[in-house]
Amino acid sequence: FLIREAPLRLVVLDFGATLRYPKEFRTEYKKLLKAMGTGDKKKTIRAAVDWGLLDERESDETKDNFFEMLMTAMEPFDAKLQPFKFGDKDYARRTREVNERFVRSLRFTKPPRRLFFLHRKLGGIFVLLKRLEVELDLRPYWQQTIGLLQ
């Protein structure tokens, strides 16, 4: 990352860390985001299973952990939590705990390489925003995402 001073900009320089995502991947990711946006557990689990992100043979406990992990990941976009405080240590702790609980409960699902790669990049951006203790109203970003999901 590079921070330019005038005008103030964050620049990503790691071109070796780029990856092209095929249309099918993007379509399935959008379906999952739409389901997550409804907060409907059954729809979200179904979208993940249909995509092959979660093996249907996983236990109900694992599916519950998976849904909790996704809903925790959605919290930064919750209108009631705006502006979102990226430096919130409680959020970071809860995210870590729910992710660990999910991973420990897995029996049949292997992480999809492309999704893992994408989320690793998103996690890196989140950590940078956390270190900078950014507070940002994320509602416009979620609204833009919803527009792209149409």
Side-chain angles (χ1 to χ4, degrees):
F1 298 102
L2 173 68
I3 299 174
R4 294 182 64 188
E5 292 183 32
L8 185 59
R9 299 267 189 246
L10 175 66
V11 181
V12 179
L13 298 173
D14 190 357
F15 297 110
T18 60
L19 183 64
R20 183 174 294 273
Y21 291 93
K23 183 174 172 121
E24 180 182 324
F25 177 93
R26 296 188 316 264
T27 299
E28 294 302 320
Y29 197 85
K30 287 177 183 181
K31 287 179 187 176
L32 180 63
L33 285 174
K34 277 184 184 180
M36 290 168 60
T38 69
D40 185 304
K41 183 176 168 182
K42 286 184 181 181
K43 283 183 184 178
T44 302
I45 298 295
R46 176 52 38 209
V49 168
D50 289 348
W51 185 13
L53 182 59
L54 186 67
D55 192 302
E56 194 153 27
R57 298 173 294 173
E58 295 291 358
S59 69
D60 288 340
E61 175 189 6
T62 298
K63 291 174 183 173
D64 289 344
N65 290 338
F66 177 76
F67 182 72
E68 183 182 0
M69 179 181 69
L70 294 181
M71 292 300 99
T72 302
M74 291 286 292
E75 280 184 34
F77 300 97
D78 186 329
K80 297 180 297 272
L81 300 176
Q82 302 310 311
F84 184 75
K85 296 168 182 63
F86 283 88
D88 180 353
K89 290 178 176 53
D90 181 57
Y91 177 73
R93 178 192 53 77
R94 288 184 303 103
T95 300
R96 185 177 53 256
E97 287 173 359
V98 71
N99 290 347
E100 288 172 359
R101 197 166 44 249
F102 169 66
V103 170
R104 281 193 310 267
S105 69
L106 284 172
R107 295 294 174 258
F108 302 100
T109 304
K110 61 181 178 181
R113 180 185 164 277
R114 288 183 183 269
L115 189 65
F116 181 76
F117 189 84
L118 172 62
H119 285 197
R120 190 174 77 194
K121 297 303 170 201
L122 293 174
I125 292 168
F126 192 94
V127 168
L128 177 64
L129 295 171
K130 178 182 172 190
R131 285 184 182 159
L132 294 172
E133 296 185 10
V134 169
E135 292 186 20
L136 182 65
D137 185 344
L138 294 173
R139 286 177 292 195
Y141 298 97
W142 181 248
Q143 289 305 315
Q144 181 180 7
T145 300
I146 293 298
L148 294 172
L149 299 178
Q150 304 301 326

